[in-house]
């Protein structure tokens, strides 16, 4: 039983190392799907915004960031996400 556990531990460690290395090498090559909200937010992570709209699908669908930006005169981003609640946002 002991050699089996030893081999299982070595195999698990080897799998973890190979999986981690593959993830680090392949992650930069995976294109972002800008139609998915979390990918769209990642594409905008290097920009600075003066106003961020947070909330559920109501904020996502009912707050127009372009209109708000023209009224306020500052940069606005809408980070509302469908199917989310207050615990998901904060």
């Amino acid at each position: 039983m002991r050699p089996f556990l030893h081999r299982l531990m070595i195999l698990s460690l080897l799998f973890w190392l190979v999986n981690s290395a593959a993830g680090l090498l392949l992650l930069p090559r995976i294109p972002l799907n800008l139609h998915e909200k979390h990918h769209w937010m990642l594409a905008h992570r290097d920009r600075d915004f003066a106003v961020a709209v947070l909330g559920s699908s109501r904020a996502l669908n009912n707050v127009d960031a372009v209109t708000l930006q023209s009224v306020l005169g500052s940069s606005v981003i809408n980070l509302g996400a469908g199917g989310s609640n207050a615990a998901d946002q904060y």
Side-chain angles (χ1 to χ4, degrees), residues 4-62:
F4 171 74
L5 292 177
H6 183 65
R7 288 180 182 165
L8 182 63
M9 187 174 68
I10 291 174
L11 183 64
S12 298
L13 181 63
L14 183 64
F15 174 76
W16 179 78
L17 287 173
V18 170
N19 190 29
S20 298
L24 291 174
L25 292 174
L26 295 177
L27 187 61
R29 296 182 180 172
I30 298 173
L32 292 177
N33 180 2
L34 297 180
H35 296 290
E36 293 187 25
K37 187 68 174 190
H38 60 281
H39 286 183
W40 181 84
M41 287 190 285
L42 284 174
H44 290 85
R45 68 177 170 237
D46 295 331
R47 295 180 53 194
D48 291 328
F49 295 95
V51 177
V53 178
L54 300 174
S56 64
S57 58
R58 291 183 184 180
L60 175 64
N61 297 322
N62 296 320

Side-chain angles (χ1 to χ4, degrees), residues 45-81:
R45 68 177 170 237
D46 295 331
R47 295 180 53 194
D48 291 328
F49 295 95
V51 177
V53 178
L54 300 174
S56 64
S57 58
R58 291 183 184 180
L60 175 64
N61 297 322
N62 296 320
V63 177
D64 184 18
V66 176
T67 304
L68 196 57
Q69 186 169 324
S70 65
V71 170
L72 296 176
S74 58
S75 58
V76 177
I77 187 169
N78 188 341
L79 298 176

